């Protein structure tokens, strides 16, 4: 299982990157950091700078076909930067077009709103995104984790870092289903 973690050069909430990343590794998968610029990305612990991480691939050079799934960590600034980058938005949308699973936590659904892929889907997020998701045609719910399979792909969402354990368990299950299905 090869999973793209799409993040902006700065602003990602570190724990929303590192916990799911480790979950993919622990399950035998291969996580890859994809960003809009080469080099290193700057993660944050809420509003404070945290660690930096090496970018594996620039989104302009990435294709959906290379990956089995997409993970979108949150952080307030991260998805706000991503939704202004046409290649990042197209990359995220491509997973929906290809029927591949996508996991998004906290503020990350902003990128999905920009990609116009939440229409008719049920998802959760940080509460401040409720109006954006609803205005984009999605059904927002306040749940620890929501798995929506009523579209072309599985969409796994959670609200906040406190939900990470349930989020990781849910997306690993859905990602595993998808990779087994593509192997047959």
């Amino acid at each position: 299982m090869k999973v793209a973690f799409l993040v902006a050069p700065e602003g990602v909430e570190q724990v929303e990157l590192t916990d799911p990343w480790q979950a993919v590794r622990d399950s035998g998968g291969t996580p890859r950091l994809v960003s809009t610029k080469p080099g290193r990305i700057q993660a944050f612990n809420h509003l404070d700078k945290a660690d930096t991480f090496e970018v594996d691939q620039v989104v302009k050079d990435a294709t959906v076909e290379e990956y089995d799934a997409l993970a979108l960590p949150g952080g307030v600034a991260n998805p706000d930067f991503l939704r202004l980058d046409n290649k990042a938005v197209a990359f995220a949308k491509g997973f929906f077009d290809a029927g591949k699973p996508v996991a998004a936590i906290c503020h990350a659904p902003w990128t999905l709103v920009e990609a116009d892929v939440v229409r008719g889907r049920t998802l959760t997020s940080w509460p401040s995104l409720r109006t954006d998701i609803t205005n984009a045609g999605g059904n927002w719910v306040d749940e620890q984790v929501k798995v929506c399979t009523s579209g072309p792909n599985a969409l796994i969402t959670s609200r906040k870092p406190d939900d990470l354990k349930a989020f990781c368990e849910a997306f690993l299950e859905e990602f595993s289903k998808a990779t087994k299905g593509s192997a047959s």
Side-chain angles (χ1 to χ4, degrees):
M1 171 176 48
K2 190 173 177 187
V3 181
F5 280 76
L6 179 61
V7 298
E10 64 179 335
V12 68
E13 185 70 25
Q14 182 160 314
V15 71
E16 293 175 6
L17 170 63
T18 57
D19 280 16
W21 183 281
Q22 191 61 48
V24 169
R25 289 188 69 142
D26 289 349
S27 72
T30 304
R32 303 248 314 147
L33 194 61
V34 179
S35 189
T36 56
K37 294 181 181 175
R40 298 185 73 81
I41 62 110
Q42 175 67 62
F44 281 74
N45 290 325
H46 192 52
L47 299 175
D48 299 320
K49 284 186 177 181
D51 298 323
T52 63
F53 299 89
E54 186 70 31
V55 172
D56 294 311
Q57 189 173 28
V58 178
V59 73
K60 71 178 180 62
D61 301 325
T63 65
V64 172
E65 295 75 27
E66 297 174 69
Y67 296 98
D68 298 305
L70 173 66
L72 295 168
V76 178
N78 178 53
D80 199 43
F81 287 131
L82 289 177
R83 67 185 179 159
L84 294 174
D85 186 287
N86 292 336
K87 287 180 177 38
V89 171
F91 185 66
K93 183 179 184 317
F95 283 84
F96 288 78
D97 294 343
K100 294 183 177 186
V102 172
I105 188 167
C106 204
H107 289 80
W110 262 340
T111 305
L112 302 179
V113 166
E114 191 65 32
D116 194 24
V117 293
V118 302
R119 188 173 317 282
R121 304 301 294 269
T122 299
L123 61 156
T124 193
S125 67
W126 186 253
S128 65
L129 275 67
R130 177 183 187 161
T131 300
D132 296 325
I133 289 168
T134 302
N135 287 345
N139 177 37
W140 187 87
V141 294
D142 184 9
E143 295 178 15
Q144 183 179 38
V145 65
K146 180 64 184 171
V147 178
C148 179
T149 56
S150 65
N153 64 337
L155 174 59
I156 307 93
T157 53
S158 281
R159 304 169 298 190
K160 56 189 174 185
D162 289 347
D163 300 337
L164 275 164
K165 185 178 186 305
F167 177 66
C168 291
E169 289 171 359
F171 83 67
L172 284 176
E173 182 177 332
E174 292 302 319
F175 287 9
S176 176
K177 287 179 193 175
T179 55
K180 284 179 184 156
S182 66
S184 54

